[in-house]
Amino acid sequence: MLKSFRSAAFLAAALACATPAAAANLKATVSQAFQSMLYLPLYVALDEGLFEKAGIDVTKETAGAPSVALSAVISKSAQFSLHGPEWTAVAASKGAPVNIICNVVNGAAVWIAATPDFPFKEAKDLKGQTIVAGLMPTTSTSLFLKYLKENGMAKDDVNITQVQIGTEPGPFLAGQAKVAVMYEPGLDQAVAKGMKVLVGFPQHYGAYAFSAISARKDVDPATAQAFVNGLQAALVLMKTDQAKAIAVAKKEFPTLDPAVVEAAVKRMMAEKVYPETADISPDALKVGLDTQIALGNLAAQPDYATFVRRSFIEKAIAGN
């Protein structure tokens, strides 16, 4: 009897000690623009418990648009947002107290695909073609327009059929166009149906700050550091255990063909769409934002030293 009492007392004491530690975890909300396979590092951090290991409980919300996600941060209804850094740069240029604290997508994750019989040797082979692309403003179509300009063409040299983002495979596979500009997993959905890849912008542009985590300038430093630590741990895990990253992607996108999910993740990892660390180089940021400057969406490059909070990134990399 006494032994049972002592055992019960010991268990109660252990729970009493454990409860404050669990309760001590920091808490934060991250507002993502969309549920996107591009954001796999975030999902790996969430699903593999890497945020908890970093001492923070993270709640994910989906805003439906980059501007809405960033507005949640500005209004303090979320601590972090995930979308293209150009939205943060534009807001900061207008006086919003926001900047970037770490990287999530470091490649221009857009591809041009075509029917298997489409003859293609150079960009000018696209002249006069009907092209299915995402509804503006979106980076995929913006990058395609930049690609045309770089190759001596204008928007009027092609017939762009703009559709809701994510629905590009529909009209493309239905034969309404021989060419489409797509994100993943739409690309590998089309490839699975026999379509071919003409141009991969991740390889064409190299390091490109495509999507990042934004926060207010007055974000709690401990909360921000724990969040970046968790994401950095996720990027390390993805690099060392590709199978686990694919498993998380299949869990997060259960309605997609598992083979398409696996092909999409492998493609993005092979083409370095996902960064190896949470760092954002000055060159990657410049290339990414130059696209928006060329299109007139952003007046000038932000000051890298104040726009990117490198202190969080450096500590996270050193600790992982």
Side-chain angles (χ1 to χ4, degrees), residues 119-174:
F120 183 82
K121 291 184 179 179
E122 59 181 354
K124 290 185 179 180
D125 292 332
L126 298 173
K127 194 167 186 177
Q129 292 294 321
T130 295
I131 316 285
V132 175
L135 190 65
M136 287 288 279
T138 182
T139 306
S140 60
T141 307
S142 297
L143 272 178
F144 178 64
L145 294 175
K146 180 180 180 181
Y147 176 74
L148 292 179
K149 185 176 181 180
E150 289 171 347
N151 286 278
M153 290 184 287
K155 179 180 178 180
D156 293 342
D157 287 326
V158 297
N159 176 30
I160 299 179
T161 300
Q162 296 187 36
V163 298
Q164 289 294 330
I165 298 166
T167 67
E168 298 93 339
F172 178 42
L173 294 174

Coordinates of all heavy atoms in Angstrom, one line a residue, residues 119-174:
P119 N 7.2 21.7 -81.4 CA 8.6 21.9 -81.7 C 9.2 23.1 -81.0 O 8.6 24.2 -81.0 CB 8.6 22.2 -83.3 CG 7.2 22.8 -83.5 CD 6.3 22.2 -82.5
F120 N 10.3 22.9 -80.3 CA 10.8 24.0 -79.5 C 12.4 23.9 -79.5 O 12.9 22.9 -79.0 CB 10.3 23.9 -78.1 CG 10.8 25.0 -77.2 CD1 10.2 26.3 -77.2 CD2 11.9 24.8 -76.3 CE1 10.6 27.3 -76.4 CE2 12.3 25.9 -75.5 CZ 11.7 27.1 -75.5
K121 N 13.0 25.0 -79.9 CA 14.4 25.1 -79.9 C 14.9 26.3 -79.1 O 15.9 26.4 -78.5 CB 15.0 25.1 -81.3 CG 14.9 23.7 -82.0 CD 15.6 23.8 -83.3 CE 15.5 22.4 -84.1 NZ 16.2 22.5 -85.4
E122 N 14.0 27.4 -79.2 CA 14.3 28.6 -78.5 C 13.1 29.3 -78.2 O 12.0 29.0 -78.6 CB 15.2 29.5 -79.4 CG 14.5 29.8 -80.8 CD 15.4 30.7 -81.6 OE1 16.5 31.1 -81.2 OE2 15.0 31.0 -82.8
A123 N 13.2 30.4 -77.3 CA 12.0 31.1 -76.8 C 11.1 31.6 -78.0 O 9.9 31.6 -77.8 CB 12.5 32.2 -75.9
K124 N 11.7 32.0 -79.1 CA 10.9 32.6 -80.1 C 10.0 31.6 -80.8 O 9.1 32.0 -81.6 CB 11.9 33.3 -81.2 CG 12.5 34.6 -80.6 CD 13.3 35.3 -81.6 CE 13.9 36.6 -81.0 NZ 14.7 37.4 -81.9
D125 N 10.2 30.3 -80.5 CA 9.2 29.3 -81.0 C 7.9 29.5 -80.4 O 6.9 28.9 -80.9 CB 9.8 27.9 -80.8 CG 11.0 27.6 -81.7 OD1 11.1 28.2 -82.7 OD2 11.9 26.8 -81.2
L126 N 7.8 30.2 -79.3 CA 6.5 30.4 -78.6 C 5.7 31.5 -79.3 O 4.5 31.7 -79.0 CB 6.7 30.8 -77.2 CG 7.5 29.8 -76.3 CD1 7.8 30.4 -74.9 CD2 6.6 28.5 -76.2
K127 N 6.3 32.3 -80.2 CA 5.6 33.4 -80.9 C 4.3 32.9 -81.6 O 4.3 32.0 -82.3 CB 6.5 34.1 -81.8 CG 6.0 35.5 -82.3 CD 7.1 36.2 -83.0 CE 6.7 37.7 -83.3 NZ 7.8 38.5 -84.0
G128 N 3.2 33.6 -81.3 CA 2.0 33.3 -81.9 C 1.2 32.2 -81.3 O 0.0 32.0 -81.7
Q129 N 1.7 31.6 -80.3 CA 1.1 30.5 -79.6 C 0.1 31.0 -78.5 O 0.2 32.1 -77.9 CB 2.1 29.6 -78.9 CG 3.0 28.8 -79.9 CD 2.2 27.8 -80.7 OE1 1.3 27.2 -80.2 NE2 2.5 27.7 -82.0
T130 N -0.9 30.2 -78.3 CA -1.8 30.4 -77.1 C -1.2 29.7 -75.9 O -0.8 28.5 -76.0 CB -3.2 29.7 -77.4 OG1 -3.8 30.4 -78.5 CG2 -4.1 29.9 -76.1
I131 N -1.1 30.5 -74.8 CA -0.4 30.0 -73.6 C -1.3 30.1 -72.5 O -1.9 31.1 -72.2 CB 0.9 30.9 -73.3 CG1 1.7 31.2 -74.6 CG2 1.7 30.3 -72.2 CD1 2.5 30.1 -75.1
V132 N -1.5 28.9 -71.8 CA -2.3 28.9 -70.6 C -1.4 29.4 -69.4 O -0.3 28.8 -69.2 CB -2.9 27.5 -70.3 CG1 -3.6 27.5 -68.9 CG2 -3.9 27.1 -71.4
A133 N -1.9 30.3 -68.6 CA -1.0 30.8 -67.5 C -2.0 31.3 -66.4 O -3.2 31.5 -66.6 CB -0.1 31.9 -67.9
G134 N -1.4 31.4 -65.2 CA -2.2 31.9 -64.0 C -2.6 33.3 -64.1 O -2.0 34.1 -64.8
L135 N -3.7 33.5 -63.5 CA -4.4 34.9 -63.5 C -3.5 35.9 -62.7 O -3.0 35.6 -61.6 CB -5.7 34.8 -62.8 CG -6.6 36.0 -62.9 CD1 -7.1 36.3 -64.3 CD2 -7.9 35.8 -62.0
M136 N -3.1 37.0 -63.4 CA -2.3 38.0 -62.7 C -3.1 38.7 -61.6 O -4.3 38.8 -61.7 CB -1.9 39.0 -63.8 CG -0.8 38.5 -64.7 SD 0.8 38.4 -64.0 CE 1.4 40.1 -64.1
P137 N -2.4 39.2 -60.6 CA -0.9 39.1 -60.4 C -0.5 37.8 -59.8 O -1.0 37.4 -58.8 CB -0.6 40.3 -59.5 CG -1.8 40.3 -58.6 CD -3.0 40.0 -59.5
T138 N 0.4 37.1 -60.5 CA 1.0 35.9 -59.9 C 2.4 35.8 -60.5 O 2.7 36.2 -61.6 CB 0.2 34.6 -60.3 OG1 0.8 33.5 -59.7 CG2 0.1 34.4 -61.8
T139 N 3.3 35.2 -59.7 CA 4.7 35.2 -60.1 C 5.0 34.3 -61.3 O 5.8 34.6 -62.1 CB 5.6 34.6 -58.9 OG1 5.3 35.4 -57.8 CG2 7.1 34.7 -59.3
S140 N 4.2 33.3 -61.5 CA 4.4 32.4 -62.7 C 4.2 33.2 -64.0 O 5.1 33.1 -64.9 CB 3.4 31.2 -62.6 OG 2.1 31.6 -62.6
T141 N 3.1 33.9 -64.1 CA 2.9 34.7 -65.3 C 3.8 35.9 -65.4 O 4.3 36.2 -66.5 CB 1.4 35.2 -65.3 OG1 0.6 34.0 -65.2 CG2 1.1 35.8 -66.7
S142 N 4.2 36.5 -64.3 CA 5.1 37.6 -64.2 C 6.5 37.1 -64.8 O 7.1 37.8 -65.6 CB 5.3 38.1 -62.8 OG 4.1 38.6 -62.3
L143 N 6.9 35.9 -64.3 CA 8.2 35.4 -64.8 C 8.1 35.0 -66.3 O 9.1 35.2 -67.0 CB 8.6 34.1 -64.0 CG 9.3 34.3 -62.7 CD1 9.6 33.0 -62.0 CD2 10.7 35.0 -63.0
F144 N 7.0 34.5 -66.7 CA 6.9 34.2 -68.2 C 7.0 35.5 -69.0 O 7.7 35.5 -70.0 CB 5.5 33.5 -68.4 CG 5.3 33.2 -69.9 CD1 6.1 32.3 -70.5 CD2 4.3 33.8 -70.6 CE1 6.0 32.0 -71.9 CE2 4.1 33.5 -71.9 CZ 4.9 32.6 -72.6
L145 N 6.4 36.6 -68.5 CA 6.5 37.8 -69.3 C 7.9 38.4 -69.3 O 8.4 38.9 -70.3 CB 5.5 38.9 -68.6 CG 4.0 38.6 -68.8 CD1 3.2 39.6 -68.0 CD2 3.6 38.5 -70.2
K146 N 8.6 38.2 -68.2 CA 10.0 38.6 -68.1 C 10.8 37.7 -69.1 O 11.7 38.3 -69.8 CB 10.5 38.4 -66.7 CG 12.0 38.8 -66.5 CD 12.4 38.6 -65.1 CE 13.9 39.0 -64.9 NZ 14.4 38.8 -63.6
Y147 N 10.5 36.5 -69.1 CA 11.2 35.5 -70.0 C 11.0 36.0 -71.5 O 12.0 36.0 -72.3 CB 10.7 34.1 -69.8 CG 11.3 33.1 -70.7 CD1 12.6 32.6 -70.6 CD2 10.5 32.5 -71.8 CE1 13.1 31.6 -71.4 CE2 11.0 31.5 -72.6 CZ 12.3 31.1 -72.4 OH 12.8 30.1 -73.3
L148 N 9.8 36.4 -71.8 CA 9.5 36.8 -73.2 C 10.4 38.1 -73.5 O 11.0 38.2 -74.5 CB 8.1 37.2 -73.4 CG 7.1 36.0 -73.4 CD1 5.6 36.5 -73.5 CD2 7.4 35.0 -74.5
K149 N 10.4 39.0 -72.5 CA 11.1 40.3 -72.7 C 12.6 40.0 -72.9 O 13.3 40.7 -73.7 CB 10.8 41.2 -71.5 CG 11.4 42.6 -71.7 CD 11.0 43.5 -70.5 CE 11.6 44.9 -70.6 NZ 11.2 45.7 -69.5
E150 N 13.1 39.1 -72.1 CA 14.6 38.8 -72.2 C 14.9 38.2 -73.5 O 16.1 38.2 -73.9 CB 14.9 37.8 -71.1 CG 14.9 38.4 -69.7 CD 15.1 37.3 -68.6 OE1 14.9 36.1 -68.9 OE2 15.3 37.7 -67.4
N151 N 13.9 37.7 -74.2 CA 14.2 37.0 -75.5 C 13.6 37.8 -76.7 O 13.3 37.3 -77.7 CB 13.6 35.6 -75.5 CG 14.5 34.7 -74.7 OD1 15.5 34.1 -75.1 ND2 14.1 34.5 -73.4
G152 N 13.5 39.1 -76.5 CA 13.1 40.0 -77.5 C 11.7 40.0 -77.9 O 11.3 40.4 -79.1
M153 N 10.8 39.5 -77.1 CA 9.4 39.5 -77.4 C 8.6 40.3 -76.3 O 9.1 40.6 -75.3 CB 8.9 38.0 -77.4 CG 9.4 37.2 -78.6 SD 8.7 35.6 -78.6 CE 9.6 34.8 -77.3
A154 N 7.3 40.5 -76.7 CA 6.4 41.3 -75.8 C 5.2 40.4 -75.6 O 5.0 39.4 -76.2 CB 6.0 42.6 -76.5
K155 N 4.4 40.9 -74.6 CA 3.2 40.1 -74.3 C 2.3 39.9 -75.5 O 1.7 38.8 -75.6 CB 2.4 40.9 -73.2 CG 1.1 40.3 -72.7 CD 0.5 41.1 -71.6 CE -0.9 40.5 -71.2 NZ -1.5 41.4 -70.2
D156 N 2.2 40.9 -76.4 CA 1.3 40.8 -77.5 C 1.8 39.7 -78.6 O 1.1 39.4 -79.5 CB 1.2 42.1 -78.2 CG 0.4 43.1 -77.3 OD1 -0.3 42.6 -76.4 OD2 0.5 44.3 -77.6
D157 N 3.0 39.2 -78.4 CA 3.6 38.3 -79.3 C 3.0 36.9 -79.1 O 3.2 35.9 -79.9 CB 5.1 38.2 -79.2 CG 5.8 39.4 -79.9 OD1 5.2 39.9 -80.9 OD2 6.8 39.8 -79.4
V158 N 2.3 36.7 -78.0 CA 1.6 35.4 -77.7 C 0.2 35.7 -77.2 O -0.1 36.9 -76.9 CB 2.4 34.6 -76.6 CG1 3.8 34.2 -77.0 CG2 2.4 35.4 -75.3
N159 N -0.6 34.7 -77.2 CA -2.0 34.9 -76.7 C -2.1 34.2 -75.4 O -2.2 33.0 -75.3 CB -3.0 34.3 -77.7 CG -4.4 34.3 -77.2 OD1 -4.8 35.2 -76.5 ND2 -5.2 33.4 -77.6
I160 N -2.1 35.0 -74.3 CA -2.1 34.4 -72.9 C -3.6 34.2 -72.5 O -4.3 35.2 -72.4 CB -1.3 35.2 -71.9 CG1 0.1 35.3 -72.4 CG2 -1.4 34.6 -70.5 CD1 1.0 36.2 -71.4
T161 N -3.9 33.0 -72.2 CA -5.2 32.7 -71.6 C -5.0 32.5 -70.1 O -4.4 31.5 -69.6 CB -5.8 31.3 -72.2 OG1 -5.9 31.5 -73.6 CG2 -7.1 31.0 -71.5
Q162 N -5.5 33.5 -69.3 CA -5.3 33.5 -67.9 C -6.4 32.8 -67.2 O -7.6 33.0 -67.5 CB -5.2 34.9 -67.4 CG -4.0 35.7 -67.9 CD -3.8 37.1 -67.2 OE1 -4.1 37.2 -66.0 NE2 -3.4 38.0 -68.0
V163 N -6.0 31.9 -66.3 CA -7.0 31.1 -65.5 C -6.6 31.1 -64.1 O -5.6 31.6 -63.7 CB -7.0 29.6 -66.0 CG1 -7.4 29.5 -67.5 CG2 -5.6 28.9 -65.8
Q164 N -7.5 30.7 -63.2 CA -7.3 30.7 -61.8 C -6.0 29.8 -61.5 O -5.8 28.8 -62.1 CB -8.5 30.1 -61.0 CG -9.7 31.0 -61.0 CD -9.4 32.3 -60.2 OE1 -8.6 32.3 -59.2 NE2 -10.1 33.4 -60.5
I165 N -5.2 30.3 -60.6 CA -4.0 29.6 -60.2 C -4.3 28.2 -59.7 O -5.2 28.0 -58.9 CB -3.2 30.4 -59.2 CG1 -2.8 31.8 -59.7 CG2 -2.0 29.7 -58.7 CD1 -2.4 32.8 -58.6
G166 N -3.6 27.2 -60.3 CA -3.8 25.9 -59.9 C -4.7 25.1 -60.9 O -4.8 23.9 -60.9
T167 N -5.4 25.9 -61.7 CA -6.3 25.2 -62.7 C -5.7 25.1 -64.1 O -6.3 24.7 -65.1 CB -7.7 25.9 -62.8 OG1 -7.5 27.2 -63.4 CG2 -8.3 26.1 -61.4
E168 N -4.4 25.5 -64.2 CA -3.8 25.5 -65.6 C -3.8 24.2 -66.3 O -4.0 24.2 -67.5 CB -2.3 26.0 -65.4 CG -2.2 27.4 -64.9 CD -2.0 27.5 -63.4 OE1 -2.4 26.5 -62.7 OE2 -1.5 28.5 -62.9
P169 N -3.6 23.1 -65.6 CA -3.6 21.8 -66.3 C -4.9 21.5 -67.0 O -4.9 20.8 -68.1 CB -3.4 20.7 -65.2 CG -2.7 21.5 -64.1 CD -3.3 22.9 -64.1
G170 N -6.1 22.0 -66.5 CA -7.4 21.7 -67.1 C -7.5 22.1 -68.6 O -7.6 21.2 -69.5
P171 N -7.4 23.3 -68.9 CA -7.5 23.7 -70.4 C -6.3 23.2 -71.2 O -6.4 23.0 -72.4 CB -7.5 25.3 -70.3 CG -7.0 25.6 -69.0 CD -7.3 24.5 -68.1
F172 N -5.1 23.1 -70.5 CA -4.0 22.6 -71.2 C -4.1 21.2 -71.7 O -4.0 20.8 -72.9 CB -2.7 22.8 -70.3 CG -1.4 22.3 -70.9 CD1 -1.1 22.5 -72.2 CD2 -0.6 21.5 -70.1 CE1 0.1 22.0 -72.7 CE2 0.6 21.1 -70.6 CZ 1.0 21.3 -71.9
L173 N -4.6 20.3 -70.8 CA -4.8 18.9 -71.1 C -6.0 18.7 -72.0 O -6.1 17.7 -72.7 CB -4.9 18.1 -69.8 CG -3.6 18.0 -68.9 CD1 -3.9 17.3 -67.6 CD2 -2.5 17.3 -69.7
A174 N -6.9 19.7 -71.9 CA -8.1 19.6 -72.8 C -7.8 20.0 -74.2 O -8.8 20.0 -75.1 CB -9.2 20.4 -72.2

